[in-house]
Amino acid sequence: MRTQSRRTPRALFAVAAAGTLITPLLAGCSGAGAGGGSSAHSINVLMVNNPQMVELQKLTKDNFTKDTGIKVNFTVLPENDVRDKISQDFANQAGQYDVATLSNYEIPIYAKNGWLESMDSYVKKDTAFDQQDVLKPMRQALTAADGKLYGEPFYGESSFLMYRKDVFQKKGLTMPANPTWQQVADLAAKADGAESGMKGICLRGLPGWGEMLAPLTTVVNTFGGTWFDKDWKAQLDAPAFKQATRFYVDLVRKHGESGAAQSGFAECLNDMTQGKTAMWYDATSGAGSLEAAGSPVKGKIGYVPAPVEKTDSSGWLYTWAWGIQKASKNPGDAWKFISWASGKDYEKLVGEKAGWANVPAGKRTSTYDIPQYRKEAAAFADVTRDAIAGAKPNDPGVQPRPAPGIQFVDIPEFTDLGTKVSQEISSAVAGRQSVDDALKKAQKLAEAVGKKYEGS
């Protein structure tokens, strides 16, 4: 999950469970198609201003609009702002926007509230879209409790372990093909200090339900823990949850980056890029920056699956996806736009026009068969694809769950609950309290939420 750091929730969906680093744009700007010629059809699209969406905006008028005659009016906002605006418009069913960017956290909740148009009939008729080509975990994550599909992914990510191959070779260390967390901890101790100023590992310690809790919850899952049991009984003070949290906090305190309690995705990415850490467990999307032209560590990084203990896999699952507002007056045209933007031909268009590194990958099996993409992303493409394919949003641990989600619990209250719990655990990372004291407070917070769902 690639959320920005230092966020506090201002509304129910004010912060992201995950996402990519954002590039600044003017809020509310109209994009490609907004200033084009007259058209009998038009749709309004509200989306986050990350680089992949910016590229989409540039390509829409001369491709989608030219081919279909459908004019697309984009409203492009920073992540926090777009989530506020989407939740307001969709909750009120105002119908101002036909399509919006949503994640696999919001879509099941929005669908349950009746805010989204089901896509099943469109998918059935649009055989060229090839729904079965969409990676199964993505399809599952965007299908609501009623069994209907309410979102299509624009791109996706999981999580994996990144490490300095050259440093490991110099120190005589071997990274297992499928490491356990205990093996990672042992390697972190040995790699600590391998180069001047280098720490063994970087792990997020920054408060935030989409920051520290993303990687930590995957550790909890594979250690055998869970936020809630199947009956909504809070489990934050249970042995497995405590063991996983102690392990995580101890590891980052002993061999992690300096200032860990203030380090999120962006800080760890910088540390890894600048050679300040030998390993980093985080979003698969981070690999693109590490392997970018001009990166000091390009070609020096190895990538292996997310470490495990009691589960076969432990990587998280995240996607920026498209949702159609139930109140849309143009659902058919909205689907045509989504079919284009999430289709196979769009990925080829991006590769040809903007470079294969910019392809919004992580959602389709066929992407990984494109020779040009495979060449550009050779170091991490297969590990990323396998991580996403192996993600189990409905069964991420060793026991039944009352709600889907790997790095989050897919209930509206998790934004507030997760943020408050993360603040307590981050305090333990900073050494201001013990893990037991942090989880004692966290358990009470979780119990209050669980009681709302008991018997449901």
Side-chain angles (χ1 to χ4, degrees):
M1 293 168 50
R2 297 182 62 181
T3 46
Q4 296 297 292
S5 56
R6 298 172 185 86
R7 289 177 176 166
T8 55
R10 295 178 298 166
L12 184 60
F13 303 106
V15 292
T20 58
L21 298 174
I22 338 176
T23 53
L25 287 177
L26 292 176
C29 65
S30 293
S38 60
S39 172
H41 299 271
S42 68
I43 59 171
N44 297 324
V45 176
L46 178 57
M47 66 183 185
V48 67
N49 68 344
N50 65 32
Q52 289 91 340
M53 270 67 171
V54 172
E55 194 60 46
L56 171 76
Q57 194 177 5
K58 293 177 182 176
L59 294 171
T60 299
K61 182 179 179 181
D62 291 339
N63 295 278
F64 175 73
T65 300
K66 181 180 179 181
D67 292 343
T68 65
I70 300 171
K71 179 181 176 182
V72 182
N73 305 307
F74 288 107
T75 298
V76 187
L77 298 171
E79 193 171 316
N80 283 358
D81 296 331
V82 80
R83 289 184 183 275
D84 284 348
K85 197 169 185 67
I86 292 169
S87 64
Q88 292 165 10
D89 194 64
F90 279 49
N92 294 323
Q93 287 295 286
Q96 182 179 356
Y97 298 98
D98 301 288
V99 178
T101 50
L102 297 166
S103 78
N104 51 311
Y105 167 72
E106 291 99 348
I107 279 183
I109 297 171
Y110 278 31
K112 184 177 181 180
N113 290 341
W115 300 347
L116 297 175
E117 176 87 2
S118 168
M119 296 182 178
D120 292 284
S121 62
Y122 300 107
V123 167
K124 185 176 182 179
K125 295 176 184 176
D126 189 353
T127 56
F129 183 76
D130 193 1
Q131 180 68 11
Q132 292 305 305
D133 185 49
V134 176
L135 294 170
K136 185 177 180 180
M138 294 295 174
R139 286 184 269 133
Q140 291 178 332
L142 300 174
T143 298
D146 62 3
K148 296 180 181 179
L149 181 73
Y150 289 94
E152 290 291 358
F154 184 56
Y155 68 83
E157 70 175 34
S158 184
S159 55
F160 56 21
L161 183 67
M162 298 157 271
Y163 70 100
R164 285 283 298 274
K165 294 185 295 184
D166 56 332
V167 171
F168 271 50
Q169 184 177 10
K170 185 170 64 176
K171 292 287 289 183
L173 304 176
T174 300
M175 174 62 73
N178 293 279
T180 66
W181 270 113
Q182 189 54 59
Q183 288 173 327
V184 171
D186 294 341
L187 289 168
K190 294 173 182 176
D192 203 341
E195 293 185 354
S196 178
M198 177 176 279
K199 302 301 292 185
I201 193 168
C202 200
L203 295 170
R204 300 187 199 182
L206 182 71
W209 68 286
E211 280 287 358
M212 179 179 64
L213 282 192
L216 174 57
T217 300
T218 70
V219 177
V220 168
N221 291 336
T222 196
F223 269 70
T226 181
W227 280 71
F228 299 96
D229 68 13
K230 62 182 178 61
D231 299 316
W232 287 106
K233 298 293 184 182
Q235 300 293 305
L236 278 71
D237 62 354
F241 203 110
K242 281 187 177 182
Q243 181 189 11
T245 307
R246 284 182 189 137
F247 173 86
Y248 189 97
V249 171
D250 287 347
L251 178 56
V252 74
R253 282 181 59 82
K254 290 178 181 177
H255 305 296
E257 72 278 14
S258 60
Q262 289 79 43
S263 294
F265 174 87
E267 290 77 14
C268 282
L269 172 60
N270 183 66
D271 282 357
M272 194 72 179
T273 304
Q274 298 302 320
K276 296 180 180 178
T277 184
M279 290 186 290
W280 177 30
Y281 171 61
D282 216 298
T284 55
S285 49
S289 297
L290 297 176
E291 302 294 343
S295 168
V297 295
K298 178 178 173 61
K300 298 180 180 179
I301 308 295
Y303 304 89
V304 293
V308 294
E309 284 296 323
K310 296 182 179 180
T311 58
D312 294 333
S313 63
S314 70
W316 68 58
L317 186 71
Y318 181 78
T319 174
W320 272 117
W322 307 108
I324 301 175
Q325 185 170 183
K326 185 72 172 178
S328 169
K329 296 180 177 63
N330 310 291
D333 288 346
W335 169 256
K336 289 179 181 177
F337 168 76
I338 293 170
S339 178
W340 173 74
S342 288
K344 298 177 185 178
D345 289 341
Y346 177 77
E347 294 192 348
K348 296 176 183 177
L349 177 67
V350 173
E352 293 166 359
K353 297 289 186 179
W356 292 97
N358 294 315
V359 167
K363 67 175 181 293
R364 286 185 172 272
T365 300
S366 58
T367 306
Y368 299 91
D369 294 328
I370 301 173
Q372 299 94 321
Y373 178 74
R374 289 195 61 82
K375 181 179 179 181
E376 185 73 24
F380 57 88
D382 287 342
V383 186
T384 298
R385 178 192 57 192
D386 293 346
I388 294 171
K392 301 176 181 178
N394 294 317
D395 184 27
V398 302
Q399 67 282 94
R401 307 295 173 98
I406 298 176
Q407 73 276 27
F408 53 77
V409 182
D410 207 0
I411 54 175
E413 293 85 357
F414 193 74
T415 53
D416 183 57
L417 172 63
T419 297
K420 289 177 178 176
V421 169
S422 72
Q423 289 167 347
E424 296 296 341
I425 299 174
S426 182
S427 179
V429 170
R432 292 192 293 269
Q433 65 176 333
S434 68
V435 169
D436 284 1
D437 285 344
L439 292 182
K440 184 177 181 180
K441 299 172 187 175
Q443 172 70 10
K444 292 181 180 179
L445 295 169
E447 286 174 352
V449 171
K451 286 178 181 178
K452 299 179 182 179
Y453 289 90
E454 287 181 17
S456 61

